[in-house]
Amino acid sequence: GSAMSNNQITVIAHRDKLRARDAERLRDALRNEAFEVQWVEIPKGRAATKAARRAIERGAEHLVVAGGGKQFDDFLLVFLFV
């Protein structure tokens, strides 16, 4: 895939745990900050690591993980210390 520009951000969102209204508010907030948003929905929290790795391989410099839950918390801890 092609490299992403610095104003692009990838959001990894848990399909079932992030409410539609909150997802739209997140999209709007990021767009208001001039980010081009790449939205990746995942069906389970354990898919977050693979989705993040794929986004980074495609050049993502900014990631947001949204949707909560223990698996997401575990993912964030691992991701922050990699």
Side-chain angles (χ1 to χ4, degrees), residues 24-70:
E24 193 56 38
R25 290 170 68 191
L26 178 56
R27 280 187 180 104
D28 289 345
L30 293 171
R31 287 183 188 132
N32 287 342
E33 294 298 322
F35 282 106
E36 294 177 29
V37 180
Q38 163 127 22
W39 198 268
V40 178
E41 287 192 356
I42 58 172
K44 295 183 178 182
R46 66 177 168 245
T49 302
K50 184 176 181 180
R53 200 173 287 130
R54 192 174 297 144
I56 291 167
E57 288 170 358
R58 292 180 178 159
E61 293 186 10
H62 308 287
L63 291 175
V64 173
V65 181
K70 181 172 178 0

mmCIF file of all heavy atoms in Angstrom, residues 24-70:
data_model
loop_
_atom_site.group_PDB
_atom_site.id
_atom_site.type_symbol
_atom_site.label_atom_id
_atom_site.label_comp_id
_atom_site.label_asym_id
_atom_site.label_seq_id
_atom_site.Cartn_x
_atom_site.Cartn_y
_atom_site.Cartn_z
ATOM 1 N N GLU A 24 -19.182 8.975 15.687
ATOM 2 C CA GLU A 24 -19.344 10.177 14.868
ATOM 3 C C GLU A 24 -18.694 11.392 15.526
ATOM 4 O O GLU A 24 -18.064 12.202 14.857
ATOM 5 C CB GLU A 24 -20.829 10.441 14.596
ATOM 6 C CG GLU A 24 -21.064 11.461 13.505
ATOM 7 C CD GLU A 24 -20.390 11.089 12.176
ATOM 8 O OE1 GLU A 24 -20.369 9.898 11.813
ATOM 9 O OE2 GLU A 24 -19.869 12.008 11.512
ATOM 10 N N ARG A 25 -18.809 11.490 16.831
ATOM 11 C CA ARG A 25 -18.156 12.597 17.545
ATOM 12 C C ARG A 25 -16.635 12.510 17.413
ATOM 13 O O ARG A 25 -15.960 13.523 17.244
ATOM 14 C CB ARG A 25 -18.576 12.588 19.012
ATOM 15 C CG ARG A 25 -20.043 13.000 19.194
ATOM 16 C CD ARG A 25 -20.533 12.768 20.594
ATOM 17 N NE ARG A 25 -19.866 13.669 21.532
ATOM 18 C CZ ARG A 25 -19.937 13.551 22.831
ATOM 19 N NH1 ARG A 25 -20.633 12.574 23.387
ATOM 20 N NH2 ARG A 25 -19.323 14.407 23.622
ATOM 21 N N LEU A 26 -16.102 11.299 17.483
ATOM 22 C CA LEU A 26 -14.660 11.107 17.323
ATOM 23 C C LEU A 26 -14.222 11.492 15.912
ATOM 24 O O LEU A 26 -13.251 12.219 15.728
ATOM 25 C CB LEU A 26 -14.285 9.656 17.636
ATOM 26 C CG LEU A 26 -12.812 9.282 17.471
ATOM 27 C CD1 LEU A 26 -11.908 10.178 18.318
ATOM 28 C CD2 LEU A 26 -12.612 7.814 17.819
ATOM 29 N N ARG A 27 -14.962 11.031 14.909
ATOM 30 C CA ARG A 27 -14.650 11.394 13.517
ATOM 31 C C ARG A 27 -14.648 12.905 13.344
ATOM 32 O O ARG A 27 -13.739 13.484 12.746
ATOM 33 C CB ARG A 27 -15.667 10.775 12.558
ATOM 34 C CG ARG A 27 -15.441 9.337 12.242
ATOM 35 C CD ARG A 27 -16.431 8.900 11.149
ATOM 36 N NE ARG A 27 -16.253 7.526 10.806
ATOM 37 C CZ ARG A 27 -17.062 6.536 11.191
ATOM 38 N NH1 ARG A 27 -18.120 6.788 11.941
ATOM 39 N NH2 ARG A 27 -16.827 5.294 10.828
ATOM 40 N N ASP A 28 -15.704 13.551 13.850
ATOM 41 C CA ASP A 28 -15.822 15.010 13.718
ATOM 42 C C ASP A 28 -14.669 15.731 14.404
ATOM 43 O O ASP A 28 -14.099 16.677 13.854
ATOM 44 C CB ASP A 28 -17.149 15.503 14.293
ATOM 45 C CG ASP A 28 -18.349 15.104 13.441
ATOM 46 O OD1 ASP A 28 -18.154 14.700 12.268
ATOM 47 O OD2 ASP A 28 -19.483 15.195 13.955
ATOM 48 N N ALA A 29 -14.327 15.293 15.616
ATOM 49 C CA ALA A 29 -13.244 15.945 16.359
ATOM 50 C C ALA A 29 -11.921 15.832 15.606
ATOM 51 O O ALA A 29 -11.160 16.795 15.523
ATOM 52 C CB ALA A 29 -13.124 15.335 17.756
ATOM 53 N N LEU A 30 -11.644 14.670 15.050
ATOM 54 C CA LEU A 30 -10.396 14.477 14.313
ATOM 55 C C LEU A 30 -10.385 15.291 13.028
ATOM 56 O O LEU A 30 -9.373 15.903 12.675
ATOM 57 C CB LEU A 30 -10.173 12.993 14.027
ATOM 58 C CG LEU A 30 -9.917 12.138 15.269
ATOM 59 C CD1 LEU A 30 -9.939 10.657 14.913
ATOM 60 C CD2 LEU A 30 -8.612 12.521 15.940
ATOM 61 N N ARG A 31 -11.509 15.324 12.335
ATOM 62 C CA ARG A 31 -11.595 16.141 11.114
ATOM 63 C C ARG A 31 -11.443 17.620 11.436
ATOM 64 O O ARG A 31 -10.834 18.362 10.664
ATOM 65 C CB ARG A 31 -12.909 15.877 10.392
ATOM 66 C CG ARG A 31 -12.950 14.527 9.716
ATOM 67 C CD ARG A 31 -14.241 14.329 8.945
ATOM 68 N NE ARG A 31 -14.328 12.966 8.466
ATOM 69 C CZ ARG A 31 -15.397 12.196 8.598
ATOM 70 N NH1 ARG A 31 -16.490 12.657 9.174
ATOM 71 N NH2 ARG A 31 -15.401 10.980 8.139
ATOM 72 N N ASN A 32 -12.000 18.046 12.556
ATOM 73 C CA ASN A 32 -11.872 19.455 12.960
ATOM 74 C C ASN A 32 -10.423 19.837 13.219
ATOM 75 O O ASN A 32 -10.072 21.006 13.159
ATOM 76 C CB ASN A 32 -12.711 19.747 14.206
ATOM 77 C CG ASN A 32 -14.194 19.789 13.900
ATOM 78 O OD1 ASN A 32 -14.603 19.932 12.752
ATOM 79 N ND2 ASN A 32 -15.010 19.626 14.925
ATOM 80 N N GLU A 33 -9.590 18.850 13.534
ATOM 81 C CA GLU A 33 -8.162 19.085 13.740
ATOM 82 C C GLU A 33 -7.370 18.845 12.452
ATOM 83 O O GLU A 33 -6.156 18.721 12.479
ATOM 84 C CB GLU A 33 -7.630 18.185 14.864
ATOM 85 C CG GLU A 33 -8.213 18.516 16.219
ATOM 86 C CD GLU A 33 -7.881 19.923 16.679
ATOM 87 O OE1 GLU A 33 -6.749 20.386 16.433
ATOM 88 O OE2 GLU A 33 -8.765 20.570 17.276
ATOM 89 N N ALA A 34 -8.073 18.776 11.337
ATOM 90 C CA ALA A 34 -7.489 18.642 9.990
ATOM 91 C C ALA A 34 -6.849 17.281 9.736
ATOM 92 O O ALA A 34 -5.949 17.160 8.910
ATOM 93 C CB ALA A 34 -6.509 19.771 9.706
ATOM 94 N N PHE A 35 -7.304 16.262 10.436
ATOM 95 C CA PHE A 35 -6.829 14.909 10.155
ATOM 96 C C PHE A 35 -7.700 14.278 9.076
ATOM 97 O O PHE A 35 -8.909 14.490 9.043
ATOM 98 C CB PHE A 35 -6.902 14.017 11.401
ATOM 99 C CG PHE A 35 -5.793 14.235 12.376
ATOM 100 C CD1 PHE A 35 -6.023 14.913 13.559
ATOM 101 C CD2 PHE A 35 -4.524 13.741 12.114
ATOM 102 C CE1 PHE A 35 -4.996 15.109 14.475
ATOM 103 C CE2 PHE A 35 -3.494 13.927 13.023
ATOM 104 C CZ PHE A 35 -3.735 14.614 14.207
ATOM 105 N N GLU A 36 -7.073 13.503 8.218
ATOM 106 C CA GLU A 36 -7.797 12.616 7.315
ATOM 107 C C GLU A 36 -7.924 11.303 8.075
ATOM 108 O O GLU A 36 -6.922 10.717 8.470
ATOM 109 C CB GLU A 36 -7.028 12.409 6.021
ATOM 110 C CG GLU A 36 -6.898 13.655 5.180
ATOM 111 C CD GLU A 36 -6.047 13.400 3.945
ATOM 112 O OE1 GLU A 36 -6.021 12.257 3.439
ATOM 113 O OE2 GLU A 36 -5.394 14.354 3.516
ATOM 114 N N VAL A 37 -9.151 10.861 8.283
ATOM 115 C CA VAL A 37 -9.399 9.715 9.153
ATOM 116 C C VAL A 37 -9.539 8.427 8.349
ATOM 117 O O VAL A 37 -10.351 8.341 7.433
ATOM 118 C CB VAL A 37 -10.672 9.947 9.997
ATOM 119 C CG1 VAL A 37 -10.924 8.752 10.912
ATOM 120 C CG2 VAL A 37 -10.554 11.236 10.801
ATOM 121 N N GLN A 38 -8.730 7.441 8.690
ATOM 122 C CA GLN A 38 -8.882 6.080 8.169
ATOM 123 C C GLN A 38 -9.527 5.277 9.291
ATOM 124 O O GLN A 38 -8.958 5.155 10.377
ATOM 125 C CB GLN A 38 -7.528 5.494 7.801
ATOM 126 C CG GLN A 38 -7.560 3.993 7.658
ATOM 127 C CD GLN A 38 -7.004 3.509 6.353
ATOM 128 O OE1 GLN A 38 -6.242 4.196 5.713
ATOM 129 N NE2 GLN A 38 -7.392 2.321 5.963
ATOM 130 N N TRP A 39 -10.711 4.760 9.065
ATOM 131 C CA TRP A 39 -11.486 4.073 10.090
ATOM 132 C C TRP A 39 -11.398 2.572 9.866
ATOM 133 O O TRP A 39 -11.722 2.080 8.790
ATOM 134 C CB TRP A 39 -12.938 4.533 10.006
ATOM 135 C CG TRP A 39 -13.727 4.250 11.236
ATOM 136 C CD1 TRP A 39 -14.477 3.137 11.474
ATOM 137 C CD2 TRP A 39 -13.854 5.084 12.383
ATOM 138 N NE1 TRP A 39 -15.064 3.232 12.712
ATOM 139 C CE2 TRP A 39 -14.699 4.428 13.294
ATOM 140 C CE3 TRP A 39 -13.337 6.318 12.734
ATOM 141 C CZ2 TRP A 39 -15.043 4.957 14.511
ATOM 142 C CZ3 TRP A 39 -13.681 6.849 13.960
ATOM 143 C CH2 TRP A 39 -14.524 6.178 14.834
ATOM 144 N N VAL A 40 -10.946 1.840 10.879
ATOM 145 C CA VAL A 40 -10.849 0.381 10.810
ATOM 146 C C VAL A 40 -11.709 -0.190 11.924
ATOM 147 O O VAL A 40 -11.442 0.060 13.096
ATOM 148 C CB VAL A 40 -9.387 -0.093 10.974
ATOM 149 C CG1 VAL A 40 -9.309 -1.612 10.940
ATOM 150 C CG2 VAL A 40 -8.493 0.528 9.916
ATOM 151 N N GLU A 41 -12.751 -0.931 11.548
ATOM 152 C CA GLU A 41 -13.596 -1.564 12.563
ATOM 153 C C GLU A 41 -13.137 -2.992 12.769
ATOM 154 O O GLU A 41 -12.812 -3.703 11.817
ATOM 155 C CB GLU A 41 -15.064 -1.545 12.129
ATOM 156 C CG GLU A 41 -15.670 -0.178 12.221
ATOM 157 C CD GLU A 41 -17.177 -0.205 12.068
ATOM 158 O OE1 GLU A 41 -17.766 -1.279 11.805
ATOM 159 O OE2 GLU A 41 -17.768 0.869 12.201
ATOM 160 N N ILE A 42 -13.110 -3.394 14.031
ATOM 161 C CA ILE A 42 -12.738 -4.761 14.361
ATOM 162 C C ILE A 42 -13.877 -5.415 15.144
ATOM 163 O O ILE A 42 -14.587 -4.740 15.887
ATOM 164 C CB ILE A 42 -11.412 -4.811 15.160
ATOM 165 C CG1 ILE A 42 -11.514 -3.992 16.437
ATOM 166 C CG2 ILE A 42 -10.249 -4.365 14.288
ATOM 167 C CD1 ILE A 42 -10.328 -4.157 17.362
ATOM 168 N N PRO A 43 -14.044 -6.735 14.983
ATOM 169 C CA PRO A 43 -15.155 -7.412 15.655
ATOM 170 C C PRO A 43 -14.862 -7.805 17.094
ATOM 171 O O PRO A 43 -15.780 -7.982 17.889
ATOM 172 C CB PRO A 43 -15.367 -8.669 14.796
ATOM 173 C CG PRO A 43 -14.010 -8.943 14.228
ATOM 174 C CD PRO A 43 -13.368 -7.589 14.019
ATOM 175 N N LYS A 44 -13.578 -7.937 17.432
ATOM 176 C CA LYS A 44 -13.192 -8.366 18.780
ATOM 177 C C LYS A 44 -11.954 -7.609 19.206
ATOM 178 O O LYS A 44 -11.101 -7.264 18.384
ATOM 179 C CB LYS A 44 -12.891 -9.872 18.804
ATOM 180 C CG LYS A 44 -14.098 -10.726 18.501
ATOM 181 C CD LYS A 44 -13.769 -12.188 18.609
ATOM 182 C CE LYS A 44 -15.038 -12.987 18.340
ATOM 183 N NZ LYS A 44 -14.828 -14.410 18.461
ATOM 184 N N GLY A 45 -11.829 -7.379 20.511
ATOM 185 C CA GLY A 45 -10.699 -6.636 21.034
ATOM 186 C C GLY A 45 -9.352 -7.229 20.677
ATOM 187 O O GLY A 45 -8.391 -6.519 20.424
ATOM 188 N N ARG A 46 -9.288 -8.565 20.612
ATOM 189 C CA ARG A 46 -7.992 -9.190 20.316
ATOM 190 C C ARG A 46 -7.521 -8.907 18.894
ATOM 191 O O ARG A 46 -6.354 -9.138 18.571
ATOM 192 C CB ARG A 46 -8.031 -10.675 20.611
ATOM 193 C CG ARG A 46 -8.951 -11.459 19.719
ATOM 194 C CD ARG A 46 -8.843 -12.953 20.056
ATOM 195 N NE ARG A 46 -9.914 -13.684 19.403
ATOM 196 C CZ ARG A 46 -10.876 -14.315 20.031
ATOM 197 N NH1 ARG A 46 -10.913 -14.337 21.346
ATOM 198 N NH2 ARG A 46 -11.809 -14.957 19.366
ATOM 199 N N ALA A 47 -8.399 -8.403 18.038
ATOM 200 C CA ALA A 47 -8.016 -8.053 16.668
ATOM 201 C C ALA A 47 -7.302 -6.699 16.601
ATOM 202 O O ALA A 47 -6.757 -6.334 15.564
ATOM 203 C CB ALA A 47 -9.248 -8.032 15.767
ATOM 204 N N ALA A 48 -7.271 -5.969 17.708
ATOM 205 C CA ALA A 48 -6.676 -4.625 17.720
ATOM 206 C C ALA A 48 -5.186 -4.654 17.408
ATOM 207 O O ALA A 48 -4.690 -3.805 16.665
ATOM 208 C CB ALA A 48 -6.919 -3.952 19.073
ATOM 209 N N THR A 49 -4.465 -5.626 17.953
ATOM 210 C CA THR A 49 -3.023 -5.688 17.730
ATOM 211 C C THR A 49 -2.710 -5.881 16.256
ATOM 212 O O THR A 49 -1.870 -5.185 15.686
ATOM 213 C CB THR A 49 -2.395 -6.817 18.567
ATOM 214 O OG1 THR A 49 -2.695 -6.576 19.941
ATOM 215 C CG2 THR A 49 -0.896 -6.881 18.372
ATOM 216 N N LYS A 50 -3.402 -6.815 15.610
ATOM 217 C CA LYS A 50 -3.174 -7.073 14.191
ATOM 218 C C LYS A 50 -3.543 -5.850 13.354
ATOM 219 O O LYS A 50 -2.817 -5.481 12.427
ATOM 220 C CB LYS A 50 -3.988 -8.290 13.749
ATOM 221 C CG LYS A 50 -3.741 -8.706 12.321
ATOM 222 C CD LYS A 50 -4.505 -9.979 11.983
ATOM 223 C CE LYS A 50 -4.253 -10.418 10.569
ATOM 224 N NZ LYS A 50 -4.992 -11.638 10.235
ATOM 225 N N ALA A 51 -4.659 -5.206 13.684
ATOM 226 C CA ALA A 51 -5.081 -4.019 12.939
ATOM 227 C C ALA A 51 -4.075 -2.884 13.103
ATOM 228 O O ALA A 51 -3.767 -2.168 12.139
ATOM 229 C CB ALA A 51 -6.469 -3.575 13.408
ATOM 230 N N ALA A 52 -3.541 -2.716 14.295
ATOM 231 C CA ALA A 52 -2.545 -1.666 14.537
ATOM 232 C C ALA A 52 -1.263 -1.967 13.781
ATOM 233 O O ALA A 52 -0.673 -1.073 13.155
ATOM 234 C CB ALA A 52 -2.266 -1.538 16.030
ATOM 235 N N ARG A 53 -0.832 -3.202 13.825
ATOM 236 C CA ARG A 53 0.382 -3.597 13.115
ATOM 237 C C ARG A 53 0.229 -3.328 11.615
ATOM 238 O O ARG A 53 1.127 -2.798 10.972
ATOM 239 C CB ARG A 53 0.662 -5.082 13.383
ATOM 240 C CG ARG A 53 2.090 -5.483 13.127
ATOM 241 C CD ARG A 53 2.368 -6.920 13.563
ATOM 242 N NE ARG A 53 2.419 -7.037 15.018
ATOM 243 C CZ ARG A 53 1.749 -7.941 15.726
ATOM 244 N NH1 ARG A 53 0.985 -8.818 15.131
ATOM 245 N NH2 ARG A 53 1.857 -7.979 17.033
ATOM 246 N N ARG A 54 -0.922 -3.669 11.070
ATOM 247 C CA ARG A 54 -1.188 -3.450 9.649
ATOM 248 C C ARG A 54 -1.174 -1.953 9.322
ATOM 249 O O ARG A 54 -0.607 -1.533 8.313
ATOM 250 C CB ARG A 54 -2.538 -4.068 9.280
ATOM 251 C CG ARG A 54 -2.770 -4.161 7.788
ATOM 252 C CD ARG A 54 -4.050 -4.912 7.467
ATOM 253 N NE ARG A 54 -3.963 -6.290 7.931
ATOM 254 C CZ ARG A 54 -4.986 -6.978 8.440
ATOM 255 N NH1 ARG A 54 -6.171 -6.424 8.574
ATOM 256 N NH2 ARG A 54 -4.830 -8.213 8.818
ATOM 257 N N ALA A 55 -1.782 -1.143 10.184
ATOM 258 C CA ALA A 55 -1.801 0.303 9.962
ATOM 259 C C ALA A 55 -0.391 0.883 9.986
ATOM 260 O O ALA A 55 -0.039 1.727 9.155
ATOM 261 C CB ALA A 55 -2.681 0.984 11.012
ATOM 262 N N ILE A 56 0.424 0.415 10.922
ATOM 263 C CA ILE A 56 1.805 0.899 11.026
ATOM 264 C C ILE A 56 2.601 0.484 9.785
ATOM 265 O O ILE A 56 3.368 1.267 9.229
ATOM 266 C CB ILE A 56 2.461 0.387 12.323
ATOM 267 C CG1 ILE A 56 1.811 1.080 13.521
ATOM 268 C CG2 ILE A 56 3.963 0.613 12.303
ATOM 269 C CD1 ILE A 56 2.127 0.447 14.853
ATOM 270 N N GLU A 57 2.397 -0.748 9.327
ATOM 271 C CA GLU A 57 3.075 -1.206 8.109
ATOM 272 C C GLU A 57 2.698 -0.347 6.910
ATOM 273 O O GLU A 57 3.493 -0.173 5.992
ATOM 274 C CB GLU A 57 2.731 -2.673 7.829
ATOM 275 C CG GLU A 57 3.384 -3.634 8.798
ATOM 276 C CD GLU A 57 2.853 -5.052 8.687
ATOM 277 O OE1 GLU A 57 1.929 -5.305 7.875
ATOM 278 O OE2 GLU A 57 3.361 -5.914 9.431
ATOM 279 N N ARG A 58 1.488 0.208 6.919
ATOM 280 C CA ARG A 58 1.021 1.062 5.819
ATOM 281 C C ARG A 58 1.417 2.524 6.018
ATOM 282 O O ARG A 58 1.011 3.379 5.246
ATOM 283 C CB ARG A 58 -0.489 0.939 5.685
ATOM 284 C CG ARG A 58 -0.917 -0.425 5.203
ATOM 285 C CD ARG A 58 -2.406 -0.531 5.072
ATOM 286 N NE ARG A 58 -2.765 -1.839 4.556
ATOM 287 C CZ ARG A 58 -3.948 -2.401 4.685
ATOM 288 N NH1 ARG A 58 -4.911 -1.755 5.309
ATOM 289 N NH2 ARG A 58 -4.182 -3.584 4.197
ATOM 290 N N GLY A 59 2.181 2.795 7.077
ATOM 291 C CA GLY A 59 2.707 4.139 7.259
ATOM 292 C C GLY A 59 2.002 4.995 8.293
ATOM 293 O O GLY A 59 2.310 6.173 8.425
ATOM 294 N N ALA A 60 1.068 4.445 9.048
ATOM 295 C CA ALA A 60 0.367 5.236 10.060
ATOM 296 C C ALA A 60 1.338 5.725 11.126
ATOM 297 O O ALA A 60 2.148 4.954 11.618
ATOM 298 C CB ALA A 60 -0.738 4.414 10.717
ATOM 299 N N GLU A 61 1.271 6.996 11.430
ATOM 300 C CA GLU A 61 2.065 7.558 12.518
ATOM 301 C C GLU A 61 1.194 7.896 13.715
ATOM 302 O O GLU A 61 1.695 8.080 14.809
ATOM 303 C CB GLU A 61 2.805 8.803 12.035
ATOM 304 C CG GLU A 61 3.861 8.491 11.003
ATOM 305 C CD GLU A 61 4.682 9.701 10.623
ATOM 306 O OE1 GLU A 61 4.572 10.741 11.295
ATOM 307 O OE2 GLU A 61 5.422 9.595 9.649
ATOM 308 N N HIS A 62 -0.109 7.995 13.483
ATOM 309 C CA HIS A 62 -1.053 8.326 14.550
ATOM 310 C C HIS A 62 -2.115 7.232 14.597
ATOM 311 O O HIS A 62 -2.716 6.908 13.584
ATOM 312 C CB HIS A 62 -1.741 9.665 14.276
ATOM 313 C CG HIS A 62 -0.788 10.773 13.982
ATOM 314 N ND1 HIS A 62 -0.005 11.360 14.949
ATOM 315 C CD2 HIS A 62 -0.486 11.392 12.824
ATOM 316 C CE1 HIS A 62 0.725 12.307 14.395
ATOM 317 N NE2 HIS A 62 0.462 12.347 13.103
ATOM 318 N N LEU A 63 -2.334 6.678 15.792
ATOM 319 C CA LEU A 63 -3.357 5.655 15.993
ATOM 320 C C LEU A 63 -4.235 6.043 17.166
ATOM 321 O O LEU A 63 -3.744 6.544 18.175
ATOM 322 C CB LEU A 63 -2.727 4.301 16.322
ATOM 323 C CG LEU A 63 -1.959 3.560 15.242
ATOM 324 C CD1 LEU A 63 -1.334 2.305 15.834
ATOM 325 C CD2 LEU A 63 -2.851 3.201 14.087
ATOM 326 N N VAL A 64 -5.528 5.784 17.009
ATOM 327 C CA VAL A 64 -6.474 5.919 18.114
ATOM 328 C C VAL A 64 -7.184 4.575 18.213
ATOM 329 O O VAL A 64 -7.634 4.033 17.201
ATOM 330 C CB VAL A 64 -7.515 7.030 17.847
ATOM 331 C CG1 VAL A 64 -8.594 7.029 18.919
ATOM 332 C CG2 VAL A 64 -6.843 8.383 17.757
ATOM 333 N N VAL A 65 -7.259 4.029 19.408
ATOM 334 C CA VAL A 65 -7.979 2.787 19.634
ATOM 335 C C VAL A 65 -9.197 3.139 20.475
ATOM 336 O O VAL A 65 -9.063 3.719 21.548
ATOM 337 C CB VAL A 65 -7.088 1.745 20.350
ATOM 338 C CG1 VAL A 65 -7.853 0.453 20.558
ATOM 339 C CG2 VAL A 65 -5.818 1.499 19.550
ATOM 340 N N ALA A 66 -10.385 2.801 19.958
ATOM 341 C CA ALA A 66 -11.628 3.213 20.622
ATOM 342 C C ALA A 66 -12.561 2.022 20.787
ATOM 343 O O ALA A 66 -12.663 1.176 19.914
ATOM 344 C CB ALA A 66 -12.315 4.298 19.797
ATOM 345 N N GLY A 67 -13.216 1.961 21.923
ATOM 346 C CA GLY A 67 -14.196 0.920 22.130
ATOM 347 C C GLY A 67 -14.127 0.257 23.482
ATOM 348 O O GLY A 67 -15.030 -0.446 23.873
ATOM 349 N N GLY A 68 -13.030 0.482 24.191
ATOM 350 C CA GLY A 68 -12.924 0.014 25.572
ATOM 351 C C GLY A 68 -12.885 -1.493 25.744
ATOM 352 O O GLY A 68 -12.879 -2.249 24.792
ATOM 353 N N GLY A 69 -12.846 -1.891 26.983
ATOM 354 C CA GLY A 69 -12.806 -3.304 27.327
ATOM 355 C C GLY A 69 -11.418 -3.733 27.764
ATOM 356 O O GLY A 69 -10.426 -3.105 27.441
ATOM 357 N N LYS A 70 -11.346 -4.816 28.500
ATOM 358 C CA LYS A 70 -10.076 -5.287 29.041
ATOM 359 C C LYS A 70 -9.067 -5.636 27.951
ATOM 360 O O LYS A 70 -7.892 -5.328 28.074
ATOM 361 C CB LYS A 70 -10.303 -6.505 29.939
ATOM 362 C CG LYS A 70 -8.978 -7.000 30.534
ATOM 363 C CD LYS A 70 -9.170 -8.064 31.548
ATOM 364 C CE LYS A 70 -7.898 -8.620 32.118
ATOM 365 N NZ LYS A 70 -6.631 -8.118 31.670
#
